[in-house]
Amino acid sequence: MRDAEEFDAFYASSAQRVLGQVYAMLGSRTEAEDAVAEAYARAWSRWATVRECDSPEAWVRKVAYRVAVSAWRKAVNRVTAHRREATGQQVEPVSVDHVVLVDALRHIPSEQRRAIVLHHLVGLSVAEIAAETRANPNTVKTRLARGRQALARYLSDDGHQTTAGRSHGA
């Protein structure tokens, strides 16, 4: 129990100071909070060794900074990998109908939108939607009916109505 009390005292006396220092180094309070929390967790799991360091606070600060740098590297690597994969790929052009439909879907309630997409775009039956969404089949039918009604307010017969209700062109 002595270890826990000792660590708690160390944490209480140093956490705000270390957070301020790491925040100043990183420039992001959120990233600093995440890194410092991880560093203190690691310090606790290695407390028998960390408490013997010349400066346990310096150990935590260094680990927090390394945690943040590691997170940055992972983020950069993800972006680099994404760009590498996307290079040279052909992207199909998006039709006006697609844009209008996506815009209209954004304006209806999420459960209706989910039912509409699963039924009309994915091709699931009412029973399959009910199983996936853990809803009663009658609830799914209601969501589909109401979703279609709501979409009709945003879409004209020719598919060129804006969400404000004005037609394009004519």
Side-chain angles (χ1 to χ4, degrees):
M1 198 57 168
R2 183 181 150 263
D3 283 353
E5 291 170 3
E6 183 182 35
F7 182 81
D8 288 348
F10 164 67
Y11 178 85
S13 69
S14 64
Q16 287 303 311
R17 185 170 45 253
V18 171
L19 177 60
Q21 294 163 352
V22 174
Y23 171 43
M25 287 188 277
L26 301 179
S28 166
R29 183 169 176 92
T30 303
E31 290 176 19
E33 288 171 344
D34 290 347
V36 168
E38 176 64 23
Y40 275 103
R42 291 181 187 184
W44 169 241
S45 69
R46 298 167 178 83
W47 185 239
T49 304
V50 172
R51 76 170 166 221
E52 299 300 323
C53 293
D54 289 338
S55 174
E57 187 173 319
W59 187 95
V60 170
R61 186 174 46 252
K62 183 174 15 176
V63 169
Y65 185 75
R66 287 180 178 169
V67 165
V69 168
S70 178
W72 289 336
R73 286 185 182 139
K74 287 177 185 175
V76 167
N77 288 340
R78 277 192 299 272
V79 169
T80 302
H82 175 72
R83 286 184 181 151
R84 186 174 41 246
E85 285 295 316
T87 302
Q89 289 184 355
Q90 295 293 334
V91 178
E92 294 294 321
V94 179
S95 71
V96 172
D97 290 342
H98 178 86
V99 173
V100 170
L101 177 60
V102 169
D103 184 55
L105 284 168
R106 287 184 181 138
H107 289 85
I108 67 172
S110 64
E111 290 302 326
Q112 292 174 12
R113 180 173 54 244
R114 186 176 183 195
I116 292 285
V117 168
L118 290 174
H119 186 68
H120 293 288
L121 300 180
V122 178
L124 298 183
S125 69
V126 169
E128 291 169 325
I129 296 168
E132 183 169 323
T133 62
R134 296 184 181 185
N136 181 297
N138 288 329
T139 301
V140 172
K141 290 176 187 176
T142 301
R143 288 175 181 165
L144 285 169
R146 290 181 180 165
R148 288 183 197 113
Q149 286 177 337
L151 279 177
R153 285 180 246 149
Y154 297 103
L155 302 173
S156 68
D157 290 339
D158 64 0
H160 291 91
Q161 187 175 10
T162 67
T163 56
R166 293 183 312 267
S167 291
H168 291 167

